[in-house]
Structures are given as C-alpha cells and as structure tokens.
Amino acid sequence: MSEHVDGNSLAGPLSELFAVDLTTASARCLGCGDVSELARAMVYPDPAGHVVRCSQCDDVLMVVVQEPDSVCIELRGMTWLKVPR
Amino acid sequence: MSTLSERETRDAVPHRVGLWHAGVVVSTKTESPTGRSIVLDVPGWGGNIAGQHADLRLTAADGYQAVRSYSIASVSDGDRVELAVDRLPTGEVSPYLVDELRPGDQLELRGPLGGWFVWTPSLPGAVQLIGGGSGIVPLMAMIRSRTASGSDAPFRLLYSVRSPDDAFFRSELDTPTPGLDVTWLYTRVTPEGWGRSPGRITVDDLAESAFPASLSPAVFVCGPTGFVETVARALVALGHDPHKVKTERFGGA
C-alpha cells in the first residue's frame, strides 16, 4: 500500500468520464460539513481504484473503482459537488 | 441495438482530455544522479499551463499496462512537453524512464491534467514556491511561465534537496532573474562552508526565507507527502491563510 496523495491525482482517471476538470469542483463533506475543492482531498490509491477522504475529518467522500468494462463512482460521503463553469 | 455502434458514437464525441496521445521522445537530459528531464513531441497535445501534470502509460510486450502521473516542467501552447522524472528505487516505471528511454521511443500521454495546482500570469500578487526533491517540476513550469510572459509578480522559491548534486534545473535556477529569489535547503549534504546544517525544512526556514503571511502570497507546495504536510502545517502556524496554500503530494519518496 503506497502512501496517500491528494485529489490532484484524480484529474486523469476522472477525465475518462467527465468533460470538465472535477478536481477544481468543491465538495461538501457529509460527515463534517467542510467545503473544499476535490484537489484538496486525501486520496489512497489502490490497484482497484481510489478511496477519497475528507482532508478535515477523514471520512470517505468518494470511491472510484476500476472494473474491466466500467468505472464505478460511489459518492456516499458528499452532500453536493459544485462545478465551476 | 448494437453495442458497437453505441461505443463508436461515444468515442466520436470530441473530448480534449481523457484521450491518450502518442508521444515521441525528442531528447533527454540528465538532471541529477537519479533524475532526468524528457522532452516529448505529442501531436494533438495543444499546450498546457504551469503546474499541470500528465498521465503516462506504458504497455509491455505482453499487454500489461502501467499508468503514472508526472508533472510538466514546460509551458507552451504547442505539442512539446517536458517532463522531469526522479528514479524511485522500488519504482516500476521511473527506472525505465530515467535509465532506458531513448530519443525516438514512443510513450502514451493523457492530459494536460489538473486545473487547481496552477499559476497563470494573469494572477496578481506575490508567489511563494516550496519544492522538495522532484516536487520542483511544476514550480519550474511556474517560474518559466513568469519569465516567458514578462510578468513582474514577485516570486520566491524554497527548494529542498538531499545534496547539491540532487538539484534539478540547477543552472537555470542559478541564473539571476529579477524578481525571483531562490533559497536552497539541503537535507543531507551541503556545499562547503554552507551556513545552515543539513536537515529537513523547518518552520524557522519558512519564517526566514519565505514571503510573510502579511503579504498574502499565493503559496504552492509540491513534493513527497511527508514534506508537503510538514510545510503546509508550518505555513498555517506562521499565519498563512490555508485557502492561499495549494499543495500537491507525490506520495512516498
């Protein structure tokens, strides 16, 4: 298990799915209410994907799972995601 | 209903990022005993701003693929991309990039990526850059962007390296540039007669050499995770607004 990195590292994997750069989007943590850009989140890389945690309370914001024919994004830990345009 | 045609339709949607581009190595340059910079020509790349990164994909003969992220040292609106890579002893990809890659070799790149850890000449105010090891790479792009644009934004760089030999971009950073102030920090070996004992960056180093919080500089910190978190905590302790401090972690190194 490698050391954690941060939300900047999600730019590539998420670019497979979204036309906008979601690392500049702000997420509200369901656990503690903190609002931060996704780039500021803590990211724990894993061969199966990424676990994304709140930089303030460490609750899971999001899980990105790489599957052979799809990518599954679990968003259980955020109330909303605000995307700049 | 044909799944194939759905996929074909989806793939036809223009999408600037997310696609893999074939890049060709133009040149390489040794930067340190463990690192080198690599210039690639990537048709269709279309340029990048300072601080962005690229994902690089290598495919082995048996089809096994490895993807890694590398910061971009260059700034351009064209198809040239300069990366700089440090060899991680246990790495799967970086030893190949540092020791094996030759001009003419092909790599796949995705990007430019990341719109948060970036600086553009239109941003006003002082800029404090703090890099550890190969964390200098995106900061070098910011310095080059400042120079190329003729910006007079005051810049300071604190660059922490193991020893004088480990510095990337040494000659470029040693060239005096008006408005750019460079402070070197050595963690293991210093030049002869150096005033500071070798050691990791401390809050005192930041208090002494970085722009003070009262100037509200935009701060960019990049390096190994431990380095970045130590520096970010120290900056907040010195009164910097956490919202003005942007960080990029490379993981263990």
Side-chain angles (χ1 to χ4, degrees):
Chain A
M1 180 70 203
S2 54
E3 199 172 2
H4 69 275
V5 289
D6 54 43
N8 295 299
S9 66
L10 296 171
L14 294 180
S15 77
E16 288 177 18
L17 312 171
F18 300 99
V20 296
D21 172 30
L22 282 188
T23 67
T24 64
S26 299
R28 183 179 189 276
C29 173
L30 187 64
C32 72
D34 175 68
V35 176
S36 291
E37 296 94 336
L38 205 51
R40 290 190 184 274
M42 298 297 103
V43 174
Y44 295 78
D46 181 276
H50 301 81
V51 178
V52 184
R53 291 181 176 273
C54 174
S55 64
Q56 299 301 306
C57 75
D58 216 34
D59 271 8
V60 175
L61 290 171
M62 174 172 143
V63 183
V64 183
V65 183
Q66 303 288 342
E67 296 165 354
D69 296 317
S70 58
V71 182
C72 182
I73 303 184
E74 187 193 288
L75 292 161
R76 68 175 136 167
M78 54 178 84
T79 324
W80 46 253
L81 188 65
K82 188 180 285 190
V83 184
R85 61 176 168 201
Chain B
M1 195 167 86
S2 155
T3 305
L4 183 63
S5 71
E6 281 176 13
R7 173 165 291 223
E8 281 169 351
T9 306
R10 192 189 64 193
D11 287 350
V13 174
H15 189 141
R16 184 162 174 252
V17 291
L19 292 176
W20 291 98
H21 300 276
V24 180
V25 178
V26 175
S27 62
T28 65
K29 177 171 176 262
T30 299
E31 296 285 349
S32 79
T34 58
R36 71 172 172 178
S37 49
I38 301 164
V39 177
L40 296 138
D41 186 37
V42 189
W45 179 256
N48 62 271
I49 57 176
Q52 291 191 290
H53 66 273
D55 282 355
L56 206 149
R57 181 165 74 180
L58 297 178
T59 305
D62 65 359
Y64 172 76
Q65 292 188 321
V67 177
R68 296 290 184 279
S69 297
Y70 294 100
S71 287
I72 303 168
S74 55
V75 176
S76 86
D77 51 11
D79 293 341
R80 281 289 163 99
V81 180
E82 179 184 343
L83 309 176
V85 179
D86 204 21
R87 187 199 307 123
L88 301 176
T90 57
E92 191 178 55
V93 172
S94 61
Y96 170 76
L97 298 176
V98 174
D99 301 328
E100 308 288 337
L101 198 67
R102 297 285 175 269
D105 286 351
Q106 291 208 355
L107 297 170
E108 287 180 293
L109 278 84
R110 174 168 71 188
L113 298 169
W116 185 73
F117 191 85
V118 295
W119 182 82
T120 63
S122 62
L123 292 174
V127 177
Q128 179 66 57
L129 310 174
I130 305 173
S134 58
I136 187 66
V137 178
L139 311 182
M140 193 69 229
M142 294 179 191
I143 291 169
R144 288 170 168 178
S145 178
R146 176 185 183 274
T147 303
S149 66
S151 161
D152 59 3
F155 265 47
R156 283 189 187 175
L157 167 68
L158 267 69
Y159 183 11
S160 172
V161 288
R162 279 172 299 220
S163 75
D165 287 344
D166 286 304
F168 282 24
F169 312 115
R170 164 69 81 173
S171 62
E172 200 171 338
L173 290 172
D174 276 347
T175 305
T177 306
L180 168 66
D181 192 71
V182 180
T183 300
W184 296 88
L185 302 170
Y186 299 99
T187 61
R188 290 193 202 154
V189 179
T190 68
E192 217 158 299
W194 195 251
R196 177 185 178 277
S197 304
R200 293 189 171 193
I201 192 166
T202 65
V203 69
D204 291 339
D205 293 316
L206 294 165
E208 191 174 319
S209 305
F211 282 126
S214 58
L215 263 175
S216 295
V219 188
F220 295 90
V221 188
C222 186
T225 297
F227 173 88
V228 168
E229 298 192 343
T230 299
V231 171
R233 274 194 298 272
L235 288 166
V236 173
L238 288 169
H240 288 265
D241 176 358
H243 292 101
K244 298 276 285 185
V245 178
K246 293 191 172 182
T247 50
E248 185 163 71
R249 293 159 178 80
F250 276 10

